[in-house]
Amino acid sequence: MSWDAEVTVVGAGAAGLSLAVELSKPLPGGRVAPRVVVVEAPPGPLRPPTRTWCYWEAGAGAYDGLLAASWDRLRLHGPDGRLIERPLGSLRYKMLRSDRFEAAMVERLDSYRVEVRRLTVESVHDVGGAALVLGRDASGAPSVIRSGLVFDSRPPRRLPAARTTLLQHFLGWFVRTAEPAFDPGAATLMDFRLPQPSRGLAFGYVLPLTRYEALVEYTEFSPAVLDGAAYERALRGYCTSALRLGGYTVTGREQGVIPMSDGRYPRRAGRRVFLVGAAGGATRPSTGYTFAAIQRQSRHLAAAVRAGRSPARVPPVHGRRARAMDAVLLRALDTGRVVGAPFFAHLFSSVPAERVLRFLDGATSPWEDLGVGLRTPVGPMLRSLLELPLLPRSVPAAGPGHR
């Protein structure tokens, strides 16, 4: 059976485009990169709206020219109103808009002569010595792509069975004020000057672009989403009561739901079919951050394929220790043993922000992890740890997204 491509990447979001670019980069010594086809959804409901992705890294990064903004300081407002502001040391917290990133990656793929097909994908599966992507083009005509490998970045229809699943759900407004209202030198990661839900936590999130413009979000970690009017009321109340913005204009909006689950995401769907991005477990369960993990996952998978190794040998993007700590925290938050607002306020006030961010990225040593753990409520966390092996796993209903 002949192949149309050595690798087909399904999905043209952060995960699909990042992997396709890494696979297609010119190789040294005149060697030829794998022949790649990217499948993107046609215009319509299968394409997500423009999103905001945030991540942190040290020094200059590959996408700095595409950033909407970046900050070297983070703020957190405790539930008592106390302001905690911390420098990030060598790190910067970076904000990227999906439309600009996707346009730049498509342009790069075009320079590598990578074919991009617009198809509504109906199935991806192994057949004999190939992986087949079956779909329909814009006219409804059937289309088949035969590949040696397929990397599928489409969100899974169902989440994996888990002991704990919370939802990170949010509404954000891009606002413009008549008077200076924001400090463009610092991002507010969590602002707990908000009414808290009976189960979980709620906070504001502010990414200033200028003194007059910012992305302002209302976010909850809780078992269920709200209705649309509730998000509007909560965000309006935050802008008025906590931020005291006065007059402002909403120039854009974004909304999402990100599952925070200790379920085990499968990393393959067949002998030649692999799952990437949120579908392949790139979302950090305790935070919802995904973009930086996608970049690591893409580099490692592409390096394996380009060297002729099996992608199955690439380890999960989040290590076992990090996933175990996430499971404990999710359980402690879900049971109410740990109250989210004072927990995060104490963590950021007692641990350097740079170390907290490296901890959230899974980049800290076991000794650093222990130091962070000792600054959490040890008794409730230990109880949650001990009961995890006894808890059944069940399949939640929520579908994924990512920051």
Side-chain angles (χ1 to χ4, degrees):
M1 181 183 292
S2 62
W3 294 345
D4 300 305
E6 292 172 81
V7 181
T8 296
V9 177
V10 177
L17 291 175
S18 298
L19 178 57
V21 166
E22 290 293 333
L23 286 165
S24 307
K25 287 179 177 178
L27 288 164
R31 293 182 293 145
V32 179
R35 190 169 76 257
V36 176
V37 170
V38 175
V39 178
E40 70 170 354
L46 293 178
R47 284 202 189 180
T50 302
R51 291 90 70 211
T52 296
W53 299 322
C54 288
Y55 60 103
W56 48 88
E57 61 185 345
Y63 306 122
D64 281 6
L66 305 175
L67 296 177
S70 67
W71 304 270
D72 59 9
R73 289 179 287 130
L74 288 182
R75 288 175 176 167
L76 185 146
H77 289 270
D80 58 357
R82 182 168 62 108
L83 172 63
I84 302 164
E85 182 171 314
R86 293 289 183 265
L88 295 183
S90 63
L91 302 180
R92 288 191 72 88
Y93 192 80
K94 301 183 177 184
M95 173 185 180
L96 184 62
R97 295 285 283 160
S98 64
D99 54 350
R100 193 171 183 187
F101 173 83
E102 289 165 1
M105 296 304 101
V106 169
E107 183 178 347
R108 196 171 300 180
L109 291 175
D110 184 61
S111 72
Y112 297 154
R113 301 184 183 277
V114 172
E115 180 183 3
V116 179
R117 297 191 192 180
R118 288 185 174 178
L119 298 174
T120 300
V121 175
E122 297 177 338
S123 67
V124 180
H125 57 272
D126 292 314
V127 173
L132 300 187
V133 177
L134 307 180
R136 296 185 181 274
D137 63 19
S139 70
S143 178
V144 179
I145 303 173
R146 296 174 175 83
S147 301
L149 293 172
V150 171
F151 291 98
D152 192 348
S153 67
R154 294 174 299 162
R157 295 180 181 178
R158 300 185 71 183
L159 296 172
R163 294 163 297 196
T164 308
T165 299
L166 293 175
L167 302 178
Q168 179 180 157
H169 46 108
F170 57 91
L171 172 66
W173 287 340
F174 285 89
V175 301
R176 181 181 296 121
T177 60
E179 301 294 331
F182 305 107
D183 176 2
T188 298
L189 195 63
M190 288 179 160
D191 186 340
F192 291 110
R193 295 175 297 172
L194 287 166
Q196 295 296 306
S198 59
R199 185 176 169 193
L201 65 148
F203 57 91
Y205 179 57
V206 184
L207 301 180
L209 304 174
T210 69
R211 297 177 69 198
Y212 299 86
E213 297 172 292
L215 171 61
V216 180
E217 287 187 0
Y218 172 82
T219 301
E220 277 195 21
F221 294 178
S222 59
V225 299
L226 310 177
D227 61 51
Y231 289 111
E232 298 276 346
R233 287 194 302 270
L235 187 51
R236 191 178 300 113
Y238 176 58
C239 289
T240 302
S241 300
L243 298 183
R244 301 185 183 277
L245 293 186
Y248 61 89
T249 302
V250 177
T251 62
R253 56 183 288 142
E254 59 181 48
Q255 191 164 4
V257 180
I258 305 169
M260 305 170 68
S261 163
D262 69 349
R264 301 187 185 104
Y265 282 80
R267 291 188 292 141
R268 61 193 306 175
R271 192 165 60 90
R272 295 176 177 269
V273 180
F274 296 84
L275 304 176
V276 296
T283 300
R284 183 72 194 263
S286 60
T287 66
Y289 285 100
T290 309
F291 185 82
I294 281 174
Q295 303 312 307
R296 296 195 299 271
Q297 185 183 64
S298 297
R299 290 193 297 269
H300 296 161
L301 288 171
V305 172
R306 285 154 65 99
R309 302 192 305 270
S310 170
R313 297 182 181 178
V314 174
V317 68
H318 299 299
R320 183 176 298 176
R321 191 171 78 250
R323 298 197 306 273
M325 290 187 294
D326 286 349
V328 172
L329 177 58
L330 289 176
R331 179 65 180 171
L333 290 174
D334 190 40
T335 58
R337 293 183 192 125
V338 167
V339 181
F343 169 82
F344 285 107
H346 177 70
L347 185 64
F348 271 86
S349 64
S350 60
V351 180
E354 182 178 6
R355 188 180 306 166
V356 172
L357 293 184
R358 289 194 299 108
F359 173 77
L360 296 179
D361 241 356
T364 43
S365 68
W367 286 111
E368 287 176 312
D369 290 345
L370 178 61
V372 172
L374 291 175
R375 287 168 174 80
T376 67
V378 175
M381 298 292 271
L382 182 58
R383 180 179 173 187
S384 299
L385 170 64
L386 293 175
E387 75 178 3
L388 280 175
L390 307 177
L391 298 175
R393 293 180 181 268
S394 58
V395 177
H402 72 271
R403 277 200 187 278

